[in-house]
Amino acid sequence: DAWPQDILTVEGSQVRPGPLFNLWTAWRATIIQQFVRAAESVVRGTKSTAAFSAYVGGWYHNYWNESVNWAGAKGTPNLPWITPEWRQASVAEMYDFLMIGLYYPYVRYFEAIEQGSSAWMSVEGGAILATELVGGATVPVPSLLLSLYEGRPDRFRSAVETSLAMLGSVMLFDLSHLDRFDWWSLLQAAAASP
């Protein structure tokens, strides 16, 4: 009845959710789902063997309010803000694989916890969360932000090794950093690790 107060109000730099905020984010997620479904249809109709994929940020708990629901229907967790409408607006099922940004300086989940962050705010914890969230609907591909590891090649190698060990793949953003940091041989060594 009251627009936009039922959805949200802005006071200075603070956004305050209104009573219909959760339903609004779910509605927006449904619009995104409709777009993804249409895009998938175009891609598969143009070339049926083409892989259909997307990139999403791994911080599911923090950017749901932007209506980004990359979880699978079976993997959608029970969190206070999740409505049945949100659960139905999942998109993971439409992708052949989903590149998930694990843009965290911590590699192991215990490092994140020791620094006062959530376990999922690490490459290892984010990979576990991504696997749970997609719920088998698609293949999660861990994606690393190389600039986070500048000056710390050992941490970069550990992040790559962890990604490969946990999910069997890794996407690097962006490859220009491999040249800039002279890490190509480091990447080869990490990929060759058991």
Side-chain angles (χ1 to χ4, degrees):
D1 292 336
W3 173 259
Q5 297 81 8
D6 282 347
I7 307 298
L8 58 87
T9 55
V10 178
E11 298 170 10
S13 63
Q14 296 291 322
V15 175
R16 305 221 186 272
L20 300 179
F21 185 76
N22 292 3
L23 288 174
W24 181 66
T25 57
W27 172 78
R28 290 175 60 207
T30 301
I31 300 303
I32 293 169
Q33 182 190 54
Q34 290 170 4
F35 171 80
V36 171
R37 186 174 292 121
E40 178 193 26
S41 178
V42 168
V43 168
R44 301 215 191 274
T46 303
K47 186 172 183 182
S48 63
T49 58
F52 184 67
S53 180
Y55 165 86
V56 295
W59 37 96
Y60 189 84
H61 295 78
N62 289 0
Y63 94 137
W64 67 273
N65 56 356
E66 302 296 331
S67 300
V68 180
N69 184 7
W70 54 265
K74 293 179 184 175
T76 303
N78 292 318
L79 296 169
W81 47 267
I82 290 180
T83 63
E85 295 83 3
W86 176 268
R87 190 174 302 278
Q88 292 171 3
S90 64
V91 296
E93 292 82 2
M94 291 179 245
Y95 295 115
D96 294 306
F97 63 95
L98 193 57
M99 295 170 283
I100 300 170
L102 303 183
Y103 292 2
Y104 310 119
Y106 310 114
V107 176
R108 304 280 181 231
Y109 64 84
F110 67 84
E111 294 172 317
I113 292 169
E114 286 174 350
Q115 296 302 315
S117 293
S118 298
W120 60 265
M121 295 179 77
S122 65
V123 174
E124 183 179 49
I128 292 168
L129 177 65
T131 301
E132 291 171 356
L133 288 173
V134 299
T138 190
V139 176
V141 175
S143 304
L144 305 176
L145 179 61
L146 294 166
S147 61
L148 285 175
Y149 307 110
E150 183 173 6
R152 300 184 302 173
D154 55 328
R155 193 165 286 278
F156 163 70
R157 180 176 175 163
S158 180
V160 171
E161 289 172 348
T162 299
S163 297
L164 293 172
M166 294 188 73
L167 296 175
S169 61
V170 65
M171 185 275 276
L172 304 176
F173 182 75
D174 75 61
L175 291 179
S176 67
H177 292 306
L178 289 177
D179 283 330
R180 195 168 132 228
F181 302 153
D182 193 26
W183 282 354
W184 282 101
S185 59
L186 193 60
L187 177 62
Q188 288 175 322
S193 294

